[in-house]
Amino acid sequence: MQRGFTRLSVCLSLSLIMGDAYASLPDTRTSVIEVPAGTVGLGAALRRGTSPYTGVDNISGMDKDSKADLIPLYLYEGKWLFAHGTSAGAHLFKSDWLSVDMLAKYRFNQLESDATSYFNGINDRDQTVDMGFSATVSGDWGSLSTTWANDILGVHNGYEWDFTYAYGMEIGRWSFTPFFSYVYQDSDLTDYYYGVDAEEARADRPVYKPDSAAFWRAGVNTSYRATSRLLLFTNVASQHVDSEIYNSPLVDESQLVSASFGFAYLFGNALDDSTKQSGSERAGEWSWRLNAGYQAEGPFTRTMTGRLKRSEDVHAYMAGLTLGKLISDGKYVDYWGRLSLNRRFENGYQDDFGEYNAYVMAMTPANPPWSSKEWFRLGIGFGFSYAAKVPYVEQVKQAERERNTSHFLNYLEGQIDVPLRLMTENKAVRNCYVGISLLHRSGIFAKSDILGSVSGGSDMVSGHIECKR
């Protein structure tokens, strides 16, 4: 059991940026390791390093105080689907020595026109999502992988091809995985991030149109298994800058270095009953929840302490369905994997839209000292949220601050409810609860590029009924 979690932790946390090759961020990789399907985890990493852009001392390519970028990590390893922090996809084929995946991955490259005065007058270079395929051959000698990915959001409209060799070693609780990569980027990709158009040109920034680029990258992933579920890691890498990129008037670095520091925590396995308590009868337990509510004034900390005031800016509403699966049956705390599908009703401010949240909920029952009967439950959830449209309340609040908005944000949820069996003896609802759930979208104080460097968010207060089966 402990060995299984160890191997899983190593795979997930060292795959935080697996398959994500960025010109401004040397890649981190590890060999593919067989892991139990169904395991869910969360974590975070701080990303630091050099930027290729002239005079920019921030790896993000932005004008911001922090030189580090916070990356929230949402981890899942399923039989067919996976999420490795900043990449996600589907396993098309998997054997002892060969795996083939379809994946989407986040590209961190970006440059804002106000990063320094030198870039005033250029168009912003934006981050995007690349999608493609990856194949890995592995054995006692290590692993050899190749990943091809193409822009799917129409940002750079190019593609990248990566070839990587990695060799993993374990010494006690430590794991070391050195890797070497050869990366090819086509001319559409390099031109978008490093080219200079006629409309952007000036005396000290002439027109430049780069061709395709190819370069080497090398690094090492180091991890320490603190417990069977908690892994600490450091990933460092260095990469040569191809002459087609280095000759750009936008670039002044010939060598790039980056490092990631963070942790990953594994909550349990939704498919493997061995993660449950010995003798537990809760194997296979799942839940459904219906809830509806209104836009709250927030912030989340005040809402959690009982300040449930409606928003003064926007009167909007929501209704949704949440499905949950028990992933760890703890002695004091249960962990649930949850997926909620919500409909946001914008009350005429803009068209209604869908919102999708995936998260882990820690739930603990509470009972008085003199009784073993459950009186109520308390829960706190953490994950990510994607809204088909940016909620109007977020548009209003961010416009007042002159801040960014983002469809994709971090997600927090608080829940308190009481069992219906305290109110009725009807067997149909003996495993049902009624209560309040507090829903919050957040950009983590503008510290995370992957969340659009958003500072702020929005809150919903909803009533719910939830039943376990």
Side-chain angles (χ1 to χ4, degrees):
M1 176 62 184
Q2 183 170 342
R3 183 179 178 184
F5 271 110
T6 302
R7 299 172 68 200
L8 179 57
S9 298
V10 171
C11 178
L12 288 178
S13 62
L14 295 182
S15 298
L16 303 178
I17 316 171
M18 185 175 180
D20 302 350
Y22 315 115
S24 62
L25 173 65
D27 200 6
T28 51
R29 290 179 177 271
T30 185
S31 56
V32 174
I33 303 173
E34 289 294 327
V35 297
T39 302
V40 177
L42 293 171
L46 280 177
R47 183 175 68 106
R48 300 199 63 163
T50 53
S51 167
Y53 293 112
T54 300
V56 178
D57 59 359
N58 184 324
I59 194 173
S60 299
M62 301 172 62
D63 179 21
K64 68 178 187 178
D65 296 333
S66 175
K67 297 183 183 298
D69 175 34
L70 175 64
I71 307 175
L73 303 172
Y74 315 108
L75 308 172
Y76 175 71
E77 186 65 39
K79 182 177 181 180
W80 301 110
L81 302 177
F82 64 86
H84 290 164
T86 59
S87 66
H91 298 301
L92 303 180
F93 177 80
K94 205 169 184 181
S95 70
D96 292 339
W97 64 276
L98 173 65
S99 65
V100 180
D101 299 330
M102 180 175 67
L103 77 164
K105 55 183 184 171
Y106 194 78
R107 178 174 290 278
F108 284 90
N109 292 60
Q110 71 175 339
L111 174 66
E112 291 190 340
S113 59
D114 59 357
T116 69
S117 59
Y118 176 77
F119 294 109
N120 292 163
I122 72 164
N123 298 316
D124 289 349
R125 272 59 169 172
D126 296 325
Q127 298 175 337
T128 187
V129 175
D130 295 341
M131 188 170 184
F133 298 90
S134 177
T136 301
V137 178
S138 58
D140 294 338
W141 46 268
S143 67
L144 183 63
S145 63
T146 180
T147 301
W148 178 91
N150 184 75
D151 178 23
I152 60 172
L153 299 183
V155 174
H156 61 74
N157 293 311
Y159 70 88
E160 180 178 83
W161 206 329
D162 174 283
F163 301 86
T164 294
Y165 170 76
Y167 185 82
M169 300 170 285
E170 291 191 22
I171 304 174
R173 291 176 177 264
W174 290 92
S175 174
F176 303 90
T177 306
F179 65 88
F180 303 91
S181 300
Y182 178 77
V183 182
Y184 173 85
Q185 297 177 338
D186 81 331
S187 58
D188 288 332
L189 190 156
T190 58
D191 184 45
Y192 176 77
Y193 287 109
Y194 309 110
V196 179
D197 296 336
E199 63 182 22
E200 300 174 318
R202 64 188 194 191
D204 61 342
R205 196 172 64 210
V207 172
Y208 183 71
K209 188 174 181 63
D211 201 348
S212 59
F215 50 86
W216 290 95
R217 174 185 297 143
V220 61
N221 304 323
T222 303
S223 68
Y224 176 75
R225 177 174 51 83
T227 71
S228 61
R229 299 197 181 201
L230 176 64
L231 191 90
L232 309 177
F233 64 88
T234 301
N235 304 330
V236 295
S238 179
Q239 128 183 343
H240 168 69
V241 176
D242 185 271
S243 60
E244 289 291 328
I245 296 174
Y246 181 67
N247 291 334
S248 167
L250 306 182
V251 174
D252 68 351
E253 292 286 348
S254 61
Q255 197 75 19
L256 302 179
V257 178
S258 75
S260 299
F261 314 89
F263 74 93
Y265 186 85
L266 285 302
F267 293 96
N269 192 305
L271 303 180
D272 182 1
D273 292 338
S274 66
T275 64
K276 311 297 187 292
Q277 287 193 78
S278 177
S280 172
E281 298 178 356
R282 302 178 63 190
E285 188 171 288
W286 63 279
S287 68
W288 59 265
R289 183 185 72 183
L290 295 175
N291 62 322
Y294 59 84
Q295 192 75 58
E297 182 65 21
F300 185 69
T301 51
R302 292 186 183 178
T303 308
M304 282 287 288
T305 56
R307 189 175 183 268
L308 308 181
K309 183 180 179 181
R310 289 178 180 270
S311 170
E312 296 176 354
D313 300 308
V314 175
H315 292 166
Y317 307 90
M318 61 77 61
L321 168 67
T322 301
L323 300 177
K325 181 71 170 63
L326 183 66
I327 56 177
S328 180
D329 172 15
K331 185 176 182 180
Y332 301 107
V333 179
D334 295 335
Y335 292 106
W336 292 76
R338 286 187 165 185
L339 176 65
S340 63
L341 312 174
N342 299 332
R343 187 67 177 174
R344 291 273 194 148
F345 302 106
E346 294 287 80
N347 200 23
Y349 297 108
Q350 64 176 349
D351 291 340
D352 300 338
F353 60 90
E355 176 190 78
Y356 315 96
N357 309 309
Y359 58 104
V360 174
M361 171 69 79
M363 185 76 71
T364 181
N367 53 273
W370 60 85
S371 173
S372 60
K373 183 181 294 185
E374 182 183 35
W375 277 25
F376 62 94
R377 301 186 307 173
L378 290 171
I380 186 73
F382 180 88
F384 66 85
S385 172
Y386 180 81
K389 294 180 180 293
V390 175
Y392 188 72
V393 68
E394 294 177 18
Q395 297 179 37
V396 170
K397 289 183 176 181
Q398 297 304 91
E400 292 174 351
R401 304 171 182 173
E402 298 183 348
R403 299 274 191 167
N404 299 333
T405 61
S406 177
H407 296 265
F408 179 79
L409 288 178
N410 207 56
Y411 181 76
L412 288 173
E413 181 179 300
Q415 178 172 326
I416 181 170
D417 50 28
V418 296
L420 284 177
R421 59 179 172 270
L422 295 179
M423 310 172 196
T424 176
E425 295 182 358
N426 190 323
K427 293 183 179 180
V429 295
R430 67 179 181 272
N431 290 322
C432 295
Y433 300 77
V434 292
I436 295 175
S437 45
L438 313 174
L439 323 178
H440 175 71
R441 282 168 43 90
S442 170
I444 315 183
F445 310 109
K447 299 298 184 183
S448 177
D449 286 359
I450 201 170
L451 301 179
S453 296
V454 168
S455 177
S458 61
D459 297 85
M460 282 280 182
V461 173
S462 71
H464 70 259
I465 179 170
E466 179 174 353
C467 297
K468 298 189 296 185
R469 291 291 181 265

